[in-house]
Amino acid sequence: MAKLKIAEQDIINAICIYTSRKKQVKPEEVEVELLYDDDHGGFSAETYVNGRMQVLITANIIEALRLWLEEFLNRDPYSGIKLELDDEEGIIAIIT
């Protein structure tokens, strides 16, 4: 199967759905900011629900993307997922 590129907004959407299920709120109630740490080369996300912040690490983002792949794209959730920082597109995910 061909590689699939998931845009930054879709990663944010996946995290909103993932977090909403964990916190039992509507996806629209979740705010997300994706982050990349230049020093360590790691990805993370800050989520905000009802004024409370939670930091998600790369593994949590991958878990959210697996949910998105399975439920919204009908793709194998255990495909290879790699997060990348693109100069033009921001943070993207490459699915193999």
Side-chain angles (χ1 to χ4, degrees):
M1 201 175 264
K3 287 184 180 181
L4 172 69
K5 179 169 61 172
I6 298 180
E8 185 170 274
Q9 185 58 55
D10 287 332
I11 296 171
I12 290 169
N13 293 345
I15 294 170
C16 285
I17 291 166
Y18 171 82
T19 302
S20 73
R21 291 184 182 178
K22 298 271 187 196
K23 302 289 184 184
Q24 299 178 340
V25 297
K26 294 177 184 174
E28 304 85 48
E29 296 177 46
V30 180
E31 292 181 39
V32 176
E33 182 177 351
L34 293 177
L35 305 167
Y36 178 76
D37 183 339
D38 286 327
D39 294 332
H40 299 97
F43 296 92
S44 62
E46 290 180 354
T47 61
Y48 298 87
V49 178
N50 297 324
R52 300 192 72 171
M53 194 244 315
Q54 179 180 8
V55 175
L56 301 181
I57 61 172
T58 302
N60 301 122
I61 298 170
I62 298 295
E63 188 176 353
L65 285 167
R66 290 194 194 291
L67 171 76
W68 179 264
L69 282 170
E70 183 173 37
E71 292 189 20
F72 295 90
L73 300 180
N74 297 316
R75 299 229 358 184
D76 178 10
Y78 297 103
S79 300
I81 299 174
K82 182 180 178 190
L83 297 174
E84 294 183 358
L85 182 61
D86 184 271
D87 289 338
E88 295 176 11
E89 300 181 54
I91 296 173
I92 60 171
I94 303 297
I95 313 302
T96 56

